[in-house]
Each structure stands twice: as structure tokens, then as C-alpha cells.
Amino acid sequence: MVRLVVMAAGQATRMGRDKLALPYINTTVLGHVINTILEGIILQQKLSQNLSRDLSQELSQDLPKGLIEIHVVTRRPPEDYLTKDTLLSFQEMGGKWFQVPQAIPLSETLRIGLRDLQETTLMVGFLPGDQVGITSQGLAGCFGQALREAPDFLVPVSQTGVGSPVFFHRRYVSELRELQGEEGGRKVLYRYPERWTRQRVKETFLQDVDTPEEYQAWMDYIQKKV
């Protein structure tokens, strides 16, 4: 199994308000991210089923049949971010929503996301709740590779750098739990650069919105595409 933790409990000081609740087409920033994750899970399942049909029965038995868990850590209830349809889909897929009373350090968000790991959960990924550039196709590729190979680290990379979601094998969970304050998973990731498995993604896949200017520029970009 693979767990994806959506990190949405920070202070968003550069935005000056809750950026995850900002409007995004017919939902919110976080609502868009959750929608895309759900679409990515469905797409990965379809791709896996198609691959199973194309391979011989002997090979198909070796394909991972695990599920993908979604855990969201945030400060507000899901109704503040998600439409009724998205909330229903989230619940039907077994998504878990962890609401904290106030903004918490990044390391604490990671620890909440790592709670109650099942023995069959081999990979845990972390995705910022404001990463609006993600696509269902890109996520499906990450999910598929994490399920098939369970590498030490699965790292999305573009032409200009490294982004999220980064997936960690469960053997690194103890190191993730030891992080303090605003230390994030990258502190663990960069200890072992020789162990990375890279997943190529488009530049826009890594786009997030930390400031009002970034949010407005991205919304202008999206409006032109619609």
C-alpha cells in the first residue's frame, strides 16, 4: 500500500490568509488538490487494470494490487474546502481528515501523517496542500511506480529541480518522526541522494502558490487554458 499525506496545517504567513481556502475555478485551492489526487488514484487503477489484461496471467500475479490511502492534515473542517461531491468521493475512497486546532510545525504535520501505518504500507508520500500544478496523470505515474517498485525514495523532478510529492520507503519512517520544528522530509531525503528514484514531471507540476502574486499569476494562467 501507499499513503499520500496532504500537508495543509501551516501558517501561510507569506500569503497573509488561508491560501488553501482561496477560490479555484468552482472549488478552493485545497479542493482542487484533493480533486486531482482522487482523479490520479482512479487513473492509476485503470492503468493497472489495463496492464494486467495485457500481460500473461503469470506476470499479472506479480503486479501490486495495493490501495492508496489519503490523509489530510489541516486546521479547518473539510466542508470549508471541499464541495459536497468531492467530500463524498473522498469519504468513499477511505480518506482521513485530521483537523488540528492551530497552525503546527511541519515536523508535527509529518508525524500526524505517519500515524497508524499498516504493515502493508510500504511507501509514504508528502504533498503540500497548495501545489496547484499537480496533474492526475503525473500523480498516477508516481503512484504506479511507488506500488510496483517501492524504492527507497521516489522523487518528482523537472528540468529545474526537485519537487513534491516525495515518497519515502517505510524504512525511513523513524528518521521522519525524529524531525523537529520546521524541518521537513527533505532533510532525510538529502541524506541519501544516491538512493533516489526519479520520476520525470512537467515544470508546471511543481507549481505552488505561496504569495498573492503567485496565486494571481497562476489563476491568470489557468483562465487562459479553460
Side-chain angles (χ1 to χ4, degrees):
M1 292 180 65
V2 170
R3 175 180 296 181
L4 181 63
V5 180
V6 181
M7 303 177 295
Q11 298 185 31
T13 54
R14 295 174 62 190
M15 184 65 74
R17 55 181 293 193
D18 185 359
K19 60 185 175 182
L20 304 178
L22 291 172
Y24 195 101
I25 313 299
N26 58 352
T27 182
T28 63
V29 166
L30 183 56
H32 166 71
V33 170
I34 299 298
N35 276 334
T36 308
I37 293 170
L38 298 176
E39 292 170 357
I41 292 173
I42 293 171
L43 180 58
Q44 187 280 323
Q45 292 171 342
K46 290 180 178 178
L47 292 172
S48 180
Q49 290 168 0
N50 291 338
L51 182 59
S52 296
R53 286 195 293 267
D54 291 342
L55 295 174
S56 69
Q57 184 176 359
E58 180 180 356
L59 288 176
S60 295
Q61 290 175 348
D62 294 332
L63 290 173
K65 302 299 193 299
L67 300 176
I68 300 168
E69 304 174 306
I70 319 169
H71 286 205
V72 181
V73 185
T74 185
R75 292 178 288 156
R76 293 165 62 174
E79 293 80 7
D80 286 2
Y81 300 109
L82 310 183
T83 65
K84 291 182 179 180
D85 288 343
T86 300
L87 179 55
L88 179 61
S89 297
F90 179 81
Q91 293 170 338
E92 289 177 343
M93 287 194 179
K96 294 186 178 181
W97 196 274
F98 297 89
Q99 185 176 343
V100 296
Q102 59 188 10
I104 58 176
L106 182 56
S107 61
E108 183 61 25
T109 298
L110 267 61
R111 276 190 286 274
I112 293 174
L114 291 168
R115 289 177 182 172
D116 302 321
L117 280 180
Q118 300 183 46
E119 291 185 2
T120 53
T121 303
L122 295 182
M123 301 288 292
V124 183
F126 297 94
L127 176 71
D130 68 336
Q131 192 169 318
V132 290
I134 58 170
T135 63
S136 57
Q137 294 87 351
L139 286 175
C142 292
F143 291 144
Q145 190 163 1
L147 286 167
R148 287 191 304 272
E149 302 176 14
D152 284 65
F153 304 95
L154 180 59
V155 186
V157 296
S158 70
Q159 292 183 345
T160 59
V162 173
S164 298
V166 173
F167 291 84
F168 298 78
H169 195 279
R170 68 176 297 124
R171 65 177 62 97
Y172 299 98
V173 165
S174 60
E175 293 183 57
L176 291 169
R177 286 177 172 152
E178 292 172 357
L179 296 171
Q180 299 295 320
E182 290 301 327
E183 293 176 337
R186 295 196 180 204
K187 183 170 183 178
V188 176
L189 177 68
Y190 279 94
R191 290 173 185 163
Y192 311 98
E194 73 283 358
R195 302 180 188 178
W196 294 9
T197 295
R198 291 167 172 81
Q199 177 80 12
R200 182 66 61 178
V201 296
K202 294 182 178 180
E203 190 69 29
T204 53
F205 184 92
L206 308 181
Q207 179 67 48
D208 58 13
V209 286
D210 284 328
T211 67
E213 293 77 18
E214 288 177 348
Y215 168 71
Q216 190 57 57
W218 181 256
M219 293 306 297
D220 291 342
Y221 168 75
I222 290 299
Q223 290 293 345
K224 291 177 182 178
K225 292 183 62 178
V226 174

